[in-house]
Amino acid sequence: MKDQRITAHDEETGNHTAVRSGPLTIRDSVIRIAGNSQDGIQSVGAMLARLAGRSDMEVMTYMTIPATISGGPSIFQVHMGSGEVLSAGDAADILVAFYQHSYEEHLDTVRDGGILLYDTTHVTPDIDALRARRITPAGVPMTSLTIEILGGTGKQKGKNIFLFGLLARVFRLDMKKVRQLIRERFGGKDESVLRNALLALEGGYAYSIGDVMSLFSFETPSAGGRPKVSMTGNQALAYGAIAGGVRFGAAYPITPWTEVMEQLRQDLPRYGGSFIQTEDELAAISAALGAAYGGTVAMTGSSGPGIALKSEAISYAVMAEIPVLIVDVQRGGPSTGMPTNVEQSDLNLACHAGHGDAPRVVVAPTDVEDCFHLTAEAVRIACKYSVPVILLSDQALATRIEAFDMPDLSTIEPAVFDRNGTVPTHKPYPLDALTRHAPPGTLIEDGNYPNITGLEHDENGHPSASSKMHAAMTNKRRDKLSSLARELPVPEVYGPEEGEILLVGWGSTKGIIREAVDRAKSQGRTLSALHLRHLNPLPGGLEEIFMRFQKVLVVEMNDSDANGCGQLALILRAETCLKRIGGITKTDGLSFRVREILARLPKEELSTVT
């Protein structure tokens, strides 16, 4: 929702609270809902996002949840619009505040000229402070009205659904689709629960908001070719694994990975697969490795602490050359860190955790849609090269909801293992070819049955202490990654192909970085951006791209060294030996905002360095 539209509104009406003769047409809007986790704000935010997807709109969300079981303050932010949406939004057009602490802690997130929609039952705003920033105050007795509609003081928990109805009126949303979402959300519960939810929804929609603020209407989205789907990054990751051919999974619950595990436990049986919860992390990866050796495409997952516990078995998977997908949904660290906050600090862990020279593949999806596609690709890579592949997601991407075009499943070839019951002979570890295991039970006619072990071995898998064999096998395991690197496409540069500054990112920051490039352009400064999906091995051609820019700044959510370089920046400096590579990092447990990136750019003229 652009500021000038509100300004035009002011010039036409003379003040913020007057009623327009008709709804104001807008292209997009950022709505931040602030309250407590017990209020169901995640539910209403998620329904708003899914409604956007069903309406062929773009959407991206951001949420915070408390790390304690007892709950506490949290927010859900939805950026929805009829055009391209690259981020969850820097500043809110509308802040919904359920409590006084919600108002006080989040008022600074509202842009000047925005709107404060607050529950008068619990919030008393400073009207003079709002007037100074041209923020429209819109007070609605949400709690008391919900109690009045549903009856009884215990019914105030329905105020999130009352709010959903209120927002549906404010933005003139399709009430047929809104009601359908409510029925889907509560249809499996007792009939009285669904009835009360619909009553709260209709009560919110019937409330006359026009006496305190304008009504809005989104521009009609351009017609798309394929229907849109909306889901979280964790859900997309689970579906990508299934589409990629995974039919067995094992894991131990840990935030924020657990949602992937729950989705796979629910859906894998529908495709002839299974998912088990094990007693610990080592058991989980060991079960996945056993399934993979047995001829089933397998995966496991966790967050940083659990990946650290799996590291011994990751080294075993490298030595035994067993394909497995390992998902790391990163959170704040170290140790148990901040379970519900975002960080990108597991890159070094993913690339190097383990003992000995243990090369593995590391990839990182860039958005929710890419969680689906890159997960399927990661499964293919694991099975083609008989190597563990670690996929790095993060808390922001895991919980974010986005809408994207329905994937064309016919273009995805699921990985399968050859289960030929009889072969003339078999050599699992040939030095001149990729490793292929014969699943147990395979009849090998010449009787030369292979062995599998964590010890160094010869081409048949039998333990070997030969120095020459160890060197040859080490080269074989390393060269697989070199072969993969030659397959990878050179990343595309967003913006000019050469210039002053190139912003490099990985993981969930892609949209935010691109929005920073776009905003800088509107302010008269030229930036470019490049986003990496493949982190180990890195794709070729990066040094040539970096040489075309005076400064390369890697934007990532982890700590920096004395030179300001985060984990990926240090990897890139080691790979290219270019001193022009620096970093923009943060460790506050929150996603980057566009203005944070722009504020960290060098102000002075840059001189070319190597």
Side-chain angles (χ1 to χ4, degrees):
M1 188 188 300
K2 304 303 181 185
D3 190 31
Q4 62 265 28
R5 291 186 175 129
I6 295 297
T7 302
H9 171 202
D10 294 342
E11 292 170 351
E12 179 181 339
T13 62
N15 65 75
H16 264 316
T17 58
V19 184
R20 292 177 60 91
S21 58
L24 182 66
T25 300
I26 59 175
R27 186 173 182 270
D28 67 300
S29 185
V30 177
I31 306 162
R32 173 174 285 222
I33 307 170
N36 292 331
S37 57
Q38 303 94 323
D39 295 319
I41 59 176
Q42 282 80 20
S43 294
V44 67
M47 285 191 286
L48 262 177
R50 296 185 190 283
L51 178 65
R54 294 185 184 187
S55 303
D56 291 324
M57 299 171 70
E58 294 283 326
V59 64
M60 189 176 293
T61 69
Y62 171 75
M63 63 182 290
T64 64
I65 53 177
T68 56
I69 296 175
S70 58
S74 64
I75 66 106
F76 199 105
Q77 185 162 304
V78 182
H79 185 188
M80 54 193 294
S82 55
E84 185 178 36
V85 171
L86 293 174
S87 73
D90 255 23
D93 297 304
I94 297 180
L95 169 65
V96 179
F98 277 169
Y99 304 105
Q100 190 69 23
H101 68 77
S102 309
Y103 156 72
E104 293 173 354
E105 293 174 10
H106 297 281
L107 184 62
D108 63 347
T109 67
V110 185
R111 64 171 178 79
D112 291 351
I115 296 167
L116 171 67
L117 180 60
Y118 63 97
D119 187 347
T120 57
T121 312
H122 300 294
V123 180
T124 304
D126 183 339
I127 300 299
D128 290 336
L130 298 179
R131 186 176 295 116
R133 295 182 53 201
R134 299 183 296 108
I135 295 176
T136 300
V140 179
M142 300 182 206
T143 299
S144 57
L145 283 175
T146 303
I147 294 173
E148 181 180 327
I149 292 168
L150 302 184
T153 57
K155 301 298 182 181
Q156 62 175 301
K157 290 185 177 180
K159 66 183 178 182
N160 64 327
I161 307 302
F162 179 92
L163 171 65
F164 193 20
L166 191 64
L167 292 174
R169 181 182 180 90
V170 169
F171 290 101
R172 296 172 59 87
L173 303 177
D174 186 333
M175 277 301 288
K176 182 178 180 180
K177 293 179 179 178
V178 170
R179 294 185 185 99
Q180 180 60 32
L181 280 169
I182 294 294
R183 292 188 180 95
E184 291 174 9
R185 174 68 176 81
F186 299 101
K189 300 182 182 295
D190 186 85
E191 184 179 341
S192 63
V193 175
L194 175 59
R195 181 176 63 251
N196 285 339
L198 289 171
L199 283 172
L201 177 75
E202 299 297 344
Y205 188 75
Y207 186 82
S208 179
I209 195 73
D211 57 344
V212 289
M213 62 181 282
S214 292
L215 301 181
F216 304 95
S217 179
F218 287 106
E219 293 177 359
T220 303
S222 56
R226 299 182 63 84
K228 286 188 178 296
V229 293
S230 54
M231 62 184 67
T232 66
N234 272 349
Q235 290 173 316
L237 199 155
Y239 294 138
I242 294 173
V246 168
R247 293 299 178 265
F248 178 83
Y252 185 80
I254 181 173
T255 302
W257 144 264
T258 305
E259 186 184 22
V260 181
M261 176 178 173
E262 292 171 344
Q263 195 74 54
L264 289 167
R265 289 180 64 183
Q266 172 183 307
D267 290 332
L268 263 179
R270 301 177 185 177
Y271 299 90
S274 60
F275 197 101
I276 62 172
Q277 177 177 326
T278 56
E279 66 272 25
D280 57 36
E281 299 286 1
L282 187 56
I285 188 170
S286 297
L289 292 174
Y293 178 65
T296 300
V297 182
M299 71 174 292
T300 185
S302 189
S303 189
I307 301 300
L309 292 170
K310 297 178 191 289
S311 61
E312 180 184 357
I314 293 174
S315 290
Y316 174 85
V318 173
M319 173 64 82
E321 297 191 62
I322 299 178
V324 64
L325 173 64
I326 304 166
V327 175
D328 179 357
V329 186
Q330 301 167 95
R331 67 190 202 182
S335 188
T336 46
M338 299 188 296
T340 60
N341 290 78
V342 65
E343 217 167 73
Q344 294 177 308
S345 51
D346 289 352
L347 180 57
N348 287 337
L349 173 75
C351 292
H352 306 298
H355 48 285
D357 291 312
R360 78 295 305 269
V361 176
V362 180
V363 299
T366 61
D367 53 33
V368 172
E369 181 178 12
D370 200 34
C371 281
F372 177 85
H373 290 289
L374 189 56
T375 303
E377 180 186 336
V379 175
R380 179 191 64 80
I381 291 172
C383 295
K384 177 178 179 179
Y385 289 98
S386 292
V387 65
V389 177
I390 299 179
L391 184 142
L392 288 174
S393 179
D394 61 49
Q395 186 272 346
L397 191 52
T399 59
R400 176 194 299 172
I401 297 175
E402 293 181 34
F404 55 93
D405 289 345
M406 176 76 75
D408 183 359
L409 298 181
S410 66
T411 64
I412 300 174
E413 188 71 29
V416 293
F417 290 124
D418 183 8
R419 294 190 179 187
N420 192 338
T422 303
V423 295
T425 187
H426 182 67
K427 185 188 293 184
Y429 300 105
L431 290 172
D432 58 353
L434 292 173
T435 290
R436 291 289 179 268
H437 290 291
T442 301
L443 176 62
I444 300 177
E445 293 177 338
D446 67 1
N448 190 19
Y449 283 91
N451 188 48
I452 183 169
T453 175
L455 292 169
E456 188 57 278
H457 46 259
D458 60 19
E459 293 180 285
N460 284 308
H462 299 126
S464 171
S466 165
S467 57
K468 290 183 178 180
M469 184 58 69
H470 178 55
M473 284 294 176
T474 299
N475 292 342
K476 167 185 166 64
R477 293 186 288 265
R478 179 199 64 215
D479 289 346
K480 290 190 294 186
L481 269 64
S482 299
S483 297
L484 172 60
R486 289 191 291 270
E487 289 184 5
L488 300 177
V490 178
E492 295 182 358
V493 174
Y494 183 78
E497 293 290 329
E498 59 182 25
E500 180 188 6
I501 295 175
L502 176 69
L503 299 177
V504 176
W506 63 281
S508 62
T509 58
K510 179 181 178 180
I512 300 165
I513 293 174
R514 289 196 170 190
E515 190 170 317
V517 170
D518 294 343
R519 189 175 301 179
K521 182 178 180 181
S522 69
Q523 297 172 356
R525 188 168 190 183
T526 301
L527 299 178
S528 299
L530 180 146
H531 217 75
L532 294 174
R533 301 166 74 238
H534 302 91
L535 304 176
N536 191 46
L538 290 164
L542 291 181
E543 184 174 353
E544 290 79 4
I545 295 174
F546 295 166
M547 289 294 291
R548 300 200 297 262
F549 293 88
Q550 297 178 50
K551 192 73 175 175
V552 177
L553 298 176
V554 184
V555 181
E556 49 188 326
M557 293 177 282
N558 52 54
D559 200 12
S560 60
D561 70 351
N563 296 314
C565 293
Q567 293 183 19
L568 179 59
L570 288 172
I571 290 173
L572 293 176
R573 283 178 70 124
E575 183 79 11
T576 64
C577 297
L578 293 177
K579 293 182 180 179
R580 69 185 67 197
I581 298 174
I584 296 177
T585 66
K586 62 181 293 185
T587 55
D588 58 5
L590 304 174
S591 294
F592 268 105
R593 294 184 179 183
V594 174
R595 62 172 176 262
E596 289 178 317
I597 297 174
L598 296 178
R600 300 276 296 278
L601 296 178
K603 299 296 189 298
E604 69 278 0
E605 289 295 322
L606 297 171
S607 59
T608 302
V609 294
T610 59

